[in-house]
Amino acid sequence: MEGVIEKDVPEHVWGDVADDFVTEFSRRMLASLKRRDQRARGEWYIAGLLTVPGRKSMRALASVAGHGAAEQSLHHFISDSSWGWKPVRQALARHLDRVMLPQAWVLNSMAIPKAGEHSVGVEESFRTELGRVVNSQQAYGVWLANEDTSAPVNWDLILPPEWLEDADRRKRAKIPDDVSAASPELCAVNTVSELSRPEWGLRRRPAVLDARELDSAVLVEEFTRRGVPFVMRVSGSTRLVGYDLSLPGRGERLFQAQQLVEWAKRFSRPVGWVDPDYSITRSILVSGTRVTLPAVRRPGAALPPERALTLVGGWSGPKGKPAELWLSNLIEVPPVALLRLGRLTRRVSKDFSEVSTRVGMRDFEGRSYAGWHRHATLCSVAHAISVLSSARRQGFDKSQELSA
């Protein structure tokens, strides 16, 4: 099937998003695919993600091609073809880095419910974002984000040990030999730190994530070891070393994060931020304090060096408890700026719900490791097309108003 060269995507399949920008953008992102038939199928797939209503099954996506062999052709293109997804992600990231001017690389966890047990990486466990025990895949995406918009550019799928240690399962899902087990923390760090590699060609941005369900000590260690600046949301029970001037010597003692920011509340100041759900500016109180992580030493290892961190708290009013706590290694950045960076997680959550879900990010029906990654990559291109097209339309409407 892959040797057959088929016609380009007809313009009518783009529906409401049809214009030269959409066609040109898809072709530019797929330029690394060496075969013309692969590029054509990639355009069809993106067209289907943008225009097919409801669930993006392979049959529904194939309907944009207008002939009976398209479903088998697209299935082969996604699950069994030879094209690499990383060059497509890198092209997408470089373009968005130029046009969006992102403030951060935001890590976002995605749970993908599944009915069966054959989808690669699926397992039964409690998923916080779904609020229940569910049979699902879990993935991490890295998003380029500013306060107005966000888009995913890189993905990784968490593979439980039972998938990697079972030779039969591994063979059926076509998991490459060089893919090894990784904890959720390591998967998250790997996915975002990959963007720092020279081949991506990106300007470095701080990694932002909600780490309340993760091991913050492991994340701090890994980010620090790789030289990645970070801003992570932590729980109130996170153990930190703070400073109490009533104590002798350096005044160090162990606190819970909630206790530290309560003490720092006397130094708080108001800050405004744009609520992505309502597009209005809200005001909260913000304060920060200098902390370190408790020194944890593994048996036989030297005591790790002390690393200064900043803990930032945000309140909705002067009498309320901190609604959120953020830990960062950007110790010279004002607390207000750190909290604004942290709030980009809300921007990503909104765009995931309203755009990525609509273009089928959770809808892949195949079972192969490579197929999942190719699907996620083309969904990311479709997401970018959607948000950039919307921005272009809004810019056109505004220019029309000004010229009226």
Side-chain angles (χ1 to χ4, degrees):
M1 294 297 294
E2 194 159 276
V4 179
I5 297 178
E6 294 153 330
K7 61 184 178 179
D8 293 337
V9 182
E11 291 295 332
H12 74 270
V13 305
W14 295 108
D16 293 339
V17 294
D19 60 23
D20 291 340
F21 163 75
V22 176
T23 304
E24 175 59 28
F25 190 91
S26 297
R27 291 175 179 171
R28 188 187 309 172
M29 295 303 107
L30 298 170
S32 61
L33 278 63
K34 296 179 180 180
R35 303 175 65 98
R36 182 186 170 192
D37 57 303
Q38 290 177 334
R39 295 192 296 273
R41 291 188 184 98
E43 288 186 55
W44 293 341
Y45 203 85
I46 295 168
L49 294 173
L50 288 165
T51 61
V52 169
R55 187 169 181 82
K56 308 301 187 289
S57 67
M58 198 65 73
R59 177 172 296 180
L61 294 175
S63 66
V64 303
H67 61 81
E71 183 177 350
Q72 183 181 353
S73 176
L74 281 184
H75 177 79
H76 179 82
F77 168 72
I78 292 295
S79 295
D80 300 309
S81 189
S82 58
W83 63 277
W85 58 85
K86 284 192 177 180
V88 179
R89 294 181 185 182
Q90 290 163 2
L92 177 63
R94 285 193 292 269
H95 180 83
L96 294 177
D97 193 52
R98 290 194 302 271
V99 301
M100 279 178 50
L101 301 178
Q103 298 165 278
W105 298 341
V106 177
L107 270 160
N108 189 53
S109 174
M110 174 176 68
I112 310 165
K114 291 290 180 180
E117 58 182 25
H118 300 295
S119 297
V120 60
V122 71
E123 67 170 348
E124 190 172 272
S125 60
F126 181 82
R127 300 300 188 202
T128 303
E129 56 266 58
L130 301 177
R132 65 185 190 277
V133 174
V134 63
N135 196 54
S136 68
Q137 298 166 307
Q138 185 179 6
Y140 275 99
V142 184
W143 297 56
L144 304 190
N146 58 39
E147 291 186 346
D148 297 317
T149 191
S150 65
V153 296
N154 197 28
W155 293 93
D156 203 5
L157 188 65
I158 294 179
L159 298 177
E162 53 266 31
W163 274 89
L164 296 172
E165 296 166 4
D166 186 324
D168 237 18
R169 276 181 131 183
R170 187 161 189 147
K171 183 178 180 180
R172 285 199 303 269
K174 300 177 182 177
I175 300 172
D177 293 339
D178 60 352
V179 175
S180 57
S183 65
E185 291 81 8
L186 196 56
C187 181
V189 173
N190 288 341
T191 309
V192 71
S193 62
E194 188 177 352
L195 271 62
S196 301
R197 295 176 183 172
E199 59 266 30
W200 285 77
L202 304 180
R203 292 163 291 183
R204 177 168 288 192
R205 296 287 184 262
V208 176
L209 70 156
D210 187 336
R212 286 176 293 173
E213 301 295 326
L214 300 173
D215 188 326
S216 56
V218 171
L219 289 169
V220 169
E221 182 66 29
E222 287 296 326
F223 280 135
T224 302
R225 187 172 66 83
R226 302 173 195 222
V228 176
F230 65 83
V231 181
M232 67 172 73
R233 189 170 183 179
V234 296
S235 68
S237 60
T238 301
R239 289 159 58 87
L240 298 166
V241 175
Y243 302 91
D244 186 340
L245 297 180
S246 66
L247 295 177
R250 298 177 61 186
E252 293 182 352
R253 57 169 288 198
L254 199 61
F255 292 88
Q256 290 190 337
Q258 187 81 26
Q259 294 173 304
L260 278 166
V261 293
E262 287 285 359
W263 174 85
K265 188 174 181 179
R266 70 190 77 175
F267 306 112
S268 63
R269 54 169 293 189
V271 59
W273 64 284
V274 177
D275 187 332
D277 289 323
Y278 302 100
S279 297
I280 61 174
T281 300
R282 297 182 182 274
S283 180
I284 59 174
L285 298 174
V286 180
S287 184
T289 184
R290 191 68 56 88
V291 298
T292 63
L293 281 178
V296 178
R297 180 169 52 192
R298 296 188 183 93
L303 191 68
E306 182 181 84
R307 297 189 180 101
L309 301 169
T310 295
L311 178 68
V312 175
W315 298 262
S316 57
K319 294 184 179 180
K321 290 185 177 181
E324 54 197 272
L325 303 168
W326 297 90
L327 188 66
S328 176
N329 59 353
L330 297 171
I331 59 175
E332 303 302 327
V333 176
V336 168
L338 293 176
L339 184 114
R340 290 178 74 95
L341 285 173
R343 284 296 176 97
L344 293 177
T345 56
R346 299 191 179 195
R347 174 79 265 169
V348 167
S349 294
K350 178 178 174 63
D351 289 347
F352 174 79
S353 175
E354 296 183 357
V355 183
S356 279
T357 300
R358 176 167 51 82
V359 300
M361 188 64 79
R362 284 185 167 131
D363 292 350
F364 180 57
E365 295 178 337
R367 298 176 179 179
S368 77
Y369 176 86
W372 184 90
H373 275 281
R374 293 191 183 108
H375 173 81
T377 300
L378 297 184
C379 284
S380 298
V381 174
H383 178 112
I385 288 173
S386 184
V387 297
L388 294 178
S389 295
S390 177
R392 290 174 77 248
R393 286 194 297 270
Q394 290 174 8
F396 176 77
D397 292 343
K398 184 174 289 187
S399 66
Q400 291 289 86
E401 291 174 8
L402 293 174
S403 62

